[in-house]
Amino acid sequence: MKTIMVIGAGQMGGGIAQVAAQANYSVILNDIKDEFVQRGLGIIEKNLSRNVEKGKLTAEDKENILGRITKSTSLQDAAAADLVIEAAVENMAIKSQVFSQLDVICPDHTILSTNTSSLPITEIAAFTKRPDRVIGMHFMNPVPVMKLVEVIRGLATSDEVYKTIETLSTSMGKTPVEVNDAPGFVANRVLVPMLNEAICTLNEGIASVESIDNVMKLGMNHPMGPLALADLIGLDTVLSIMEVLHEGLGDKYRPCPLLRKYVKAGWLGRKAGRGFYNYP
Ligand code: CAA
Protein backbone atom coordinates (compact mmCIF):
# COMPACT_ATOMS: atom_id res chain seq x y z
CA MET A 1 0.00 0.00 0.00
CA LYS A 2 1.89 3.10 -1.22
CA THR A 3 -0.41 5.50 -2.97
CA ILE A 4 -3.74 6.74 -1.65
CA MET A 5 -6.13 8.87 -3.64
CA VAL A 6 -8.50 11.01 -1.56
CA ILE A 7 -11.56 12.20 -3.46
CA GLY A 8 -12.99 15.44 -2.05
CA ALA A 9 -10.74 18.16 -0.60
CA GLY A 10 -13.26 19.50 1.94
CA GLN A 11 -12.87 19.36 5.70
CA MET A 12 -12.92 15.54 5.87
CA GLY A 13 -10.98 14.82 2.65
CA GLY A 14 -8.34 17.43 3.47
CA GLY A 15 -7.88 15.98 6.97
CA ILE A 16 -7.60 12.43 5.61
CA ALA A 17 -5.02 13.56 3.02
CA GLN A 18 -3.03 15.26 5.78
CA VAL A 19 -2.88 12.22 8.10
CA ALA A 20 -2.09 9.89 5.16
CA ALA A 21 0.80 12.12 4.01
CA GLN A 22 2.03 12.41 7.63
CA ALA A 23 2.08 8.60 7.72
CA ASN A 24 4.43 8.59 4.68
CA TYR A 25 1.91 7.57 2.03
CA SER A 26 1.93 9.26 -1.38
CA VAL A 27 -1.37 11.08 -1.61
CA ILE A 28 -3.32 12.21 -4.65
CA LEU A 29 -5.81 14.86 -3.46
CA ASN A 30 -8.66 15.09 -5.93
CA ASP A 31 -11.66 17.37 -6.31
CA ILE A 32 -13.77 18.54 -9.23
CA LYS A 33 -12.15 22.00 -9.37
CA ASP A 34 -8.55 23.08 -8.85
CA GLU A 35 -9.70 25.88 -6.52
CA PHE A 36 -11.27 23.26 -4.17
CA VAL A 37 -8.04 21.24 -4.11
CA GLN A 38 -6.06 24.42 -3.52
CA ARG A 39 -8.34 25.41 -0.62
CA GLY A 40 -7.93 21.94 0.96
CA LEU A 41 -4.14 22.18 0.59
CA GLY A 42 -4.23 25.64 2.17
CA ILE A 43 -5.94 24.23 5.29
CA ILE A 44 -3.42 21.34 5.47
CA GLU A 45 -0.58 23.85 5.15
CA LYS A 46 -2.03 25.95 7.97
CA ASN A 47 -2.47 22.89 10.25
CA LEU A 48 1.13 21.79 9.60
CA SER A 49 2.48 25.32 10.19
CA ARG A 50 0.70 25.37 13.54
CA ASN A 51 2.42 22.10 14.44
CA VAL A 52 5.79 23.60 13.42
CA GLU A 53 5.12 26.63 15.66
CA LYS A 54 4.31 24.26 18.55
CA GLY A 55 7.56 22.36 17.94
CA LYS A 56 5.67 19.15 17.04
CA LEU A 57 7.11 19.14 13.49
CA THR A 58 10.18 20.67 11.89
CA ALA A 59 9.88 22.99 8.89
CA GLU A 60 11.54 20.22 6.88
CA ASP A 61 8.91 17.66 8.01
CA LYS A 62 6.22 20.06 6.89
CA GLU A 63 7.76 20.46 3.43
CA ASN A 64 8.20 16.68 3.10
CA ILE A 65 4.56 16.05 4.08
CA LEU A 66 3.30 18.66 1.60
CA GLY A 67 5.68 17.21 -1.03
CA ARG A 68 3.90 13.85 -0.73
CA ILE A 69 0.55 15.37 -1.78
CA THR A 70 -0.16 15.69 -5.51
CA LYS A 71 -3.10 17.75 -6.80
CA SER A 72 -5.68 16.18 -9.10
CA THR A 73 -8.89 17.18 -10.82
CA SER A 74 -9.24 14.00 -12.89
CA LEU A 75 -10.60 10.69 -11.64
CA GLN A 76 -8.28 9.04 -14.19
CA ASP A 77 -5.45 9.70 -11.71
CA ALA A 78 -6.95 6.86 -9.62
CA ALA A 79 -5.12 4.50 -12.02
CA ALA A 80 -2.02 5.04 -9.82
CA ALA A 81 -3.78 4.39 -6.50
CA ASP A 82 -3.56 1.29 -4.30
CA LEU A 83 -6.39 2.67 -2.18
CA VAL A 84 -9.04 5.27 -2.90
CA ILE A 85 -10.78 7.03 0.00
CA GLU A 86 -13.88 8.80 -1.27
CA ALA A 87 -14.92 11.80 0.83
CA ALA A 88 -17.16 13.64 -1.64
CA VAL A 89 -20.67 14.88 -0.96
CA GLU A 90 -23.22 12.63 0.76
CA ASN A 91 -25.30 11.92 -2.30
CA MET A 92 -25.90 8.40 -3.55
CA ALA A 93 -26.26 9.49 -7.21
CA ILE A 94 -22.81 11.09 -7.10
CA LYS A 95 -21.29 8.13 -5.26
CA SER A 96 -22.76 5.75 -7.85
CA GLN A 97 -21.04 7.68 -10.66
CA VAL A 98 -17.73 7.95 -8.81
CA PHE A 99 -17.57 4.28 -7.81
CA SER A 100 -18.60 2.91 -11.19
CA GLN A 101 -15.93 5.07 -12.86
CA LEU A 102 -13.29 4.13 -10.30
CA ASP A 103 -14.03 0.46 -10.90
CA VAL A 104 -13.08 0.89 -14.56
CA ILE A 105 -10.08 3.19 -13.96
CA CYS A 106 -8.37 1.41 -11.05
CA PRO A 107 -6.19 -1.70 -11.28
CA ASP A 108 -7.69 -4.93 -9.93
CA HIS A 109 -5.79 -4.77 -6.64
CA THR A 110 -7.05 -1.28 -5.71
CA ILE A 111 -9.30 -1.09 -2.65
CA LEU A 112 -12.17 1.38 -2.97
CA SER A 113 -13.27 2.91 0.32
CA THR A 114 -15.76 5.57 1.30
CA ASN A 115 -15.79 7.99 4.22
CA THR A 116 -19.59 8.18 4.01
CA SER A 117 -21.08 9.12 7.36
CA SER A 118 -24.21 6.99 6.90
CA LEU A 119 -24.91 5.76 3.36
CA PRO A 120 -24.94 1.94 2.97
CA ILE A 121 -21.56 0.44 2.03
CA THR A 122 -23.28 -2.59 0.48
CA GLU A 123 -25.21 -0.37 -1.95
CA ILE A 124 -22.09 1.65 -2.88
CA ALA A 125 -20.16 -1.62 -3.42
CA ALA A 126 -22.88 -2.82 -5.79
CA PHE A 127 -21.99 0.00 -8.23
CA THR A 128 -18.73 -1.88 -8.88
CA LYS A 129 -17.72 -5.32 -10.09
CA ARG A 130 -15.43 -5.67 -7.05
CA PRO A 131 -17.80 -5.50 -4.04
CA ASP A 132 -15.32 -7.67 -2.09
CA ARG A 133 -12.79 -4.79 -2.38
CA VAL A 134 -15.16 -2.02 -1.22
CA ILE A 135 -15.23 -0.94 2.43
CA GLY A 136 -16.21 2.01 4.67
CA MET A 137 -13.50 4.09 6.37
CA HIS A 138 -15.39 6.56 8.51
CA PHE A 139 -13.07 9.18 9.97
CA MET A 140 -14.18 11.70 12.62
CA ASN A 141 -13.97 15.48 12.44
CA PRO A 142 -11.42 17.05 12.97
CA VAL A 143 -9.56 14.17 11.31
CA PRO A 144 -6.02 15.11 12.43
CA VAL A 145 -7.15 15.04 16.08
CA MET A 146 -9.74 12.27 16.45
CA LYS A 147 -8.41 8.73 16.96
CA LEU A 148 -11.34 6.69 15.63
CA VAL A 149 -11.87 5.15 12.22
CA GLU A 150 -15.05 3.11 11.98
CA VAL A 151 -14.17 0.37 9.50
CA ILE A 152 -17.42 -0.79 7.97
CA ARG A 153 -17.80 -4.09 6.23
CA GLY A 154 -20.27 -4.24 3.36
CA LEU A 155 -22.08 -7.53 2.83
CA ALA A 156 -19.42 -8.72 0.38
CA THR A 157 -16.27 -7.12 1.85
CA SER A 158 -13.53 -9.77 2.06
CA ASP A 159 -11.62 -10.57 5.25
CA GLU A 160 -8.36 -9.78 3.44
CA VAL A 161 -9.56 -6.27 2.56
CA TYR A 162 -10.84 -5.71 6.10
CA LYS A 163 -7.45 -6.73 7.56
CA THR A 164 -5.55 -4.51 5.10
CA ILE A 165 -7.64 -1.48 6.04
CA GLU A 166 -7.37 -2.25 9.74
CA THR A 167 -3.55 -2.32 9.45
CA LEU A 168 -3.51 0.80 7.28
CA SER A 169 -5.70 2.75 9.72
CA THR A 170 -3.31 1.87 12.54
CA SER A 171 -0.34 2.99 10.40
CA MET A 172 -2.11 6.35 10.01
CA GLY A 173 -2.12 6.74 13.80
CA LYS A 174 -5.82 5.88 14.12
CA THR A 175 -7.67 3.21 16.09
CA PRO A 176 -9.88 1.13 13.80
CA VAL A 177 -13.13 -0.28 15.16
CA GLU A 178 -14.99 -2.96 13.22
CA VAL A 179 -18.63 -2.23 12.50
CA ASN A 180 -21.26 -3.85 10.28
CA ASP A 181 -23.24 -2.03 7.63
CA ALA A 182 -26.42 -0.45 9.10
CA PRO A 183 -27.97 3.05 8.98
CA GLY A 184 -25.58 5.52 10.65
CA PHE A 185 -23.22 2.64 11.56
CA VAL A 186 -22.44 3.10 15.30
CA ALA A 187 -20.96 6.59 15.70
CA ASN A 188 -23.70 8.53 13.98
CA ARG A 189 -26.57 6.30 15.11
CA VAL A 190 -25.68 7.16 18.70
CA LEU A 191 -24.36 10.72 18.30
CA VAL A 192 -26.58 12.43 15.74
CA PRO A 193 -29.99 11.80 17.42
CA MET A 194 -28.50 13.54 20.49
CA LEU A 195 -27.58 16.56 18.34
CA ASN A 196 -31.07 16.51 16.81
CA GLU A 197 -32.61 16.37 20.30
CA ALA A 198 -30.52 19.39 21.36
CA ILE A 199 -31.90 21.26 18.33
CA CYS A 200 -35.48 20.24 19.28
CA THR A 201 -34.81 21.44 22.85
CA LEU A 202 -33.75 24.82 21.44
CA ASN A 203 -36.76 24.86 19.08
CA GLU A 204 -39.13 24.34 22.00
CA GLY A 205 -37.59 27.29 23.86
CA ILE A 206 -36.49 25.17 26.79
CA ALA A 207 -33.07 26.80 27.00
CA SER A 208 -30.72 29.05 25.00
CA VAL A 209 -27.98 27.81 22.68
CA GLU A 210 -25.33 28.55 25.29
CA SER A 211 -27.32 26.92 28.11
CA ILE A 212 -27.91 23.70 26.18
CA ASP A 213 -24.22 23.46 25.31
CA ASN A 214 -23.16 24.28 28.87
CA VAL A 215 -25.42 21.56 30.31
CA MET A 216 -23.76 18.93 28.13
CA LYS A 217 -20.21 20.27 28.59
CA LEU A 218 -20.34 20.78 32.34
CA GLY A 219 -22.78 18.00 33.16
CA MET A 220 -21.46 15.24 30.92
CA ASN A 221 -17.85 16.31 30.36
CA HIS A 222 -18.34 16.53 26.62
CA PRO A 223 -15.48 18.52 25.04
CA MET A 224 -18.00 20.71 23.22
CA GLY A 225 -21.76 21.18 23.43
CA PRO A 226 -24.09 19.47 20.92
CA LEU A 227 -25.01 22.69 19.10
CA ALA A 228 -21.37 23.72 18.69
CA LEU A 229 -20.61 20.17 17.53
CA ALA A 230 -23.48 20.25 15.01
CA ASP A 231 -21.97 23.50 13.67
CA LEU A 232 -18.55 21.81 13.43
CA ILE A 233 -19.92 18.78 11.57
CA GLY A 234 -22.07 20.94 9.27
CA LEU A 235 -25.85 21.17 9.62
CA ASP A 236 -26.39 19.84 6.09
CA THR A 237 -24.42 16.72 7.06
CA VAL A 238 -26.35 16.38 10.35
CA LEU A 239 -29.63 16.61 8.40
CA SER A 240 -28.57 14.09 5.78
CA ILE A 241 -27.56 11.61 8.52
CA MET A 242 -30.90 12.12 10.32
CA GLU A 243 -32.70 11.47 7.03
CA VAL A 244 -30.85 8.18 6.55
CA LEU A 245 -31.67 7.16 10.16
CA HIS A 246 -35.31 8.22 9.73
CA GLU A 247 -35.71 6.26 6.51
CA GLY A 248 -33.87 3.20 7.79
CA LEU A 249 -34.96 3.03 11.43
CA GLY A 250 -38.28 4.84 11.71
CA ASP A 251 -40.05 7.83 13.18
CA LYS A 252 -38.01 8.03 16.37
CA TYR A 253 -35.31 9.60 14.18
CA ARG A 254 -37.37 12.39 12.57
CA PRO A 255 -35.18 15.44 11.82
CA CYS A 256 -36.10 18.53 13.87
CA PRO A 257 -37.95 21.22 11.82
CA LEU A 258 -35.48 23.85 13.08
CA LEU A 259 -32.60 21.83 11.62
CA ARG A 260 -34.34 21.78 8.24
CA LYS A 261 -35.00 25.53 8.51
CA TYR A 262 -31.33 26.33 9.19
CA VAL A 263 -30.19 24.18 6.28
CA LYS A 264 -32.71 25.87 3.96
CA ALA A 265 -31.41 29.25 5.12
CA GLY A 266 -27.84 28.21 4.29
CA TRP A 267 -26.89 28.47 7.98
CA LEU A 268 -24.76 25.37 7.78
CA GLY A 269 -22.47 25.99 10.74
CA ARG A 270 -18.78 26.86 10.84
CA LYS A 271 -18.11 26.38 7.15
CA ALA A 272 -20.87 28.89 6.27
CA GLY A 273 -19.87 31.42 8.95
CA ARG A 274 -23.22 30.96 10.67
CA GLY A 275 -25.11 28.15 12.39
CA PHE A 276 -26.18 28.10 16.01
CA TYR A 277 -23.19 30.39 16.56
CA ASN A 278 -21.59 33.05 14.37
CA TYR A 279 -18.09 32.44 12.99
CA PRO A 280 -16.56 35.74 11.92
N1 CAA B 1 -7.85 20.59 12.59
C1 CAA B 1 -6.66 20.19 13.10
N2 CAA B 1 -6.36 20.25 14.41
C2 CAA B 1 -7.28 20.79 15.23
C3 CAA B 1 -8.53 21.25 14.77
C4 CAA B 1 -8.79 21.13 13.38
N3 CAA B 1 -9.97 21.51 12.85
N4 CAA B 1 -9.24 21.72 15.82
C5 CAA B 1 -8.46 21.56 16.91
N5 CAA B 1 -7.29 21.02 16.55
C6 CAA B 1 -6.17 20.65 17.44
C7 CAA B 1 -5.54 21.89 18.05
O1 CAA B 1 -4.53 22.41 17.19
C8 CAA B 1 -4.96 21.33 19.34
O2 CAA B 1 -3.76 20.63 19.04
P1 CAA B 1 -2.57 20.44 20.13
O3 CAA B 1 -3.08 19.49 21.17
O4 CAA B 1 -1.47 19.88 19.31
O5 CAA B 1 -2.28 21.81 20.67
C9 CAA B 1 -5.98 20.27 19.75
O6 CAA B 1 -6.70 19.93 18.55
C10 CAA B 1 -6.96 20.78 20.78
O7 CAA B 1 -7.56 21.97 20.25
P2 CAA B 1 -7.97 23.25 21.09
O8 CAA B 1 -7.06 23.34 22.29
O9 CAA B 1 -8.03 24.41 20.17
O10 CAA B 1 -9.46 23.01 21.52
P3 CAA B 1 -10.12 21.84 22.34
O11 CAA B 1 -9.21 21.28 23.37
O12 CAA B 1 -11.43 22.39 22.73
O13 CAA B 1 -10.35 20.68 21.24
C11 CAA B 1 -11.71 19.60 19.66
C12 CAA B 1 -11.04 20.91 20.06
C13 CAA B 1 -10.64 18.54 19.39
C14 CAA B 1 -12.49 19.88 18.40
C15 CAA B 1 -12.64 19.14 20.86
O14 CAA B 1 -13.52 20.17 21.20
C16 CAA B 1 -13.43 17.90 20.54
O15 CAA B 1 -12.92 16.78 20.66
N6 CAA B 1 -14.70 18.10 20.14
C17 CAA B 1 -15.58 16.99 19.80
C18 CAA B 1 -15.29 16.55 18.39
C19 CAA B 1 -16.17 15.40 17.98
O16 CAA B 1 -17.03 14.92 18.70
N7 CAA B 1 -15.95 14.93 16.74
C20 CAA B 1 -16.74 13.90 16.15
C21 CAA B 1 -17.78 14.54 15.29
S1 CAA B 1 -18.80 13.32 14.56
C22 CAA B 1 -18.07 12.96 13.13
O17 CAA B 1 -17.09 13.52 12.71
C23 CAA B 1 -18.69 11.87 12.36
C24 CAA B 1 -19.63 12.29 11.30
O18 CAA B 1 -19.75 11.56 10.35
C25 CAA B 1 -20.49 13.45 11.44
Side-chain angles (χ1 to χ4, degrees):
M1 191 68 78
K2 288 196 179 118
T3 303
I4 300 178
M5 183 186 217
V6 180
I7 298 176
Q11 57 181 356
M12 297 305 287
I16 296 166
Q18 180 185 327
V19 294
Q22 282 179 295
N24 282 321
Y25 292 101
S26 296
V27 177
I28 305 166
L29 181 57
N30 170 280
D31 210 315
I32 48 175
K33 285 191 187 165
D34 188 58
E35 64 181 278
F36 298 159
V37 182
Q38 209 50 56
R39 193 164 59 203
L41 273 174
I43 294 169
I44 295 172
E45 215 264 330
K46 226 187 260 171
N47 282 342
L48 295 175
S49 296
R50 220 172 33 225
N51 285 337
V52 173
E53 280 158 29
K54 287 180 199 156
K56 290 186 167 179
L57 285 179
T58 65
E60 194 189 349
D61 292 334
K62 176 186 144 186
E63 289 316 315
N64 288 340
I65 293 164
L66 289 172
R68 283 194 282 276
I69 306 178
T70 315
K71 293 195 299 172
S72 157
T73 49
S74 166
L75 269 195
Q76 294 298 330
D77 295 330
D82 302 306
L83 167 69
V84 177
I85 305 176
E86 175 274 325
V89 289
E90 290 290 70
N91 174 313
M92 199 48 119
I94 291 174
K95 295 207 195 286
S96 106
Q97 278 180 21
V98 169
F99 275 79
S100 49
Q101 287 180 54
L102 287 172
D103 194 30
V104 175
I105 295 164
C106 293
D108 290 348
H109 76 275
T110 305
I111 296 175
L112 306 180
S113 76
T114 172
N115 177 57
T116 181
S117 49
S118 59
L119 296 173
I121 307 303
T122 305
E123 193 176 334
I124 294 172
F127 299 129
T128 75
K129 295 195 179 66
R130 61 177 92 190
D132 55 318
R133 303 193 74 72
V134 177
I135 192 161
M137 287 185 83
H138 183 214
F139 291 81
M140 302 291 125
N141 190 359
V143 179
V145 183
M146 307 304 281
K147 284 281 172 212
L148 175 69
V149 182
E150 272 189 304
V151 183
I152 304 125
R153 283 174 180 268
L155 196 59
T157 307
S158 74
D159 288 345
E160 175 227 323
V161 165
Y162 176 79
K163 281 277 164 220
T164 304
I165 294 303
E166 188 180 54
T167 307
L168 174 114
S169 304
T170 307
S171 76
M172 287 168 81
K174 302 297 178 197
T175 304
V177 175
E178 182 179 0
V179 169
N180 286 324
D181 196 13
F185 317 128
V186 173
N188 285 331
R189 178 167 175 168
V190 176
L191 172 73
V192 178
M194 183 194 72
L195 306 184
N196 190 57
E197 200 56 38
I199 300 168
C200 290
T201 306
L202 177 70
N203 196 33
E204 289 168 27
I206 293 163
S208 67
V209 169
E210 290 76 12
S211 298
I212 293 168
D213 276 356
N214 275 335
V215 165
M216 299 306 286
K217 276 195 296 183
L218 305 178
M220 285 75 187
N221 250 356
H222 288 189
M224 64 205 300
L227 299 172
L229 182 55
D231 276 356
L232 173 70
I233 293 169
L235 301 188
D236 50 343
T237 304
V238 173
L239 178 58
S240 84
I241 295 166
M242 279 311 292
E243 278 168 344
V244 169
L245 294 175
H246 189 208
E247 193 189 323
L249 302 169
D251 264 0
K252 184 170 131 191
Y253 297 90
R254 189 193 300 277
C256 174
L258 187 64
L259 173 61
R260 287 193 190 283
K261 204 184 258 185
Y262 271 49
V263 171
K264 283 208 179 106
W267 297 359
L268 303 181
R270 273 194 201 195
K271 64 186 169 189
R274 178 165 195 174
F276 296 107
Y277 296 87
N278 289 321
Y279 303 88

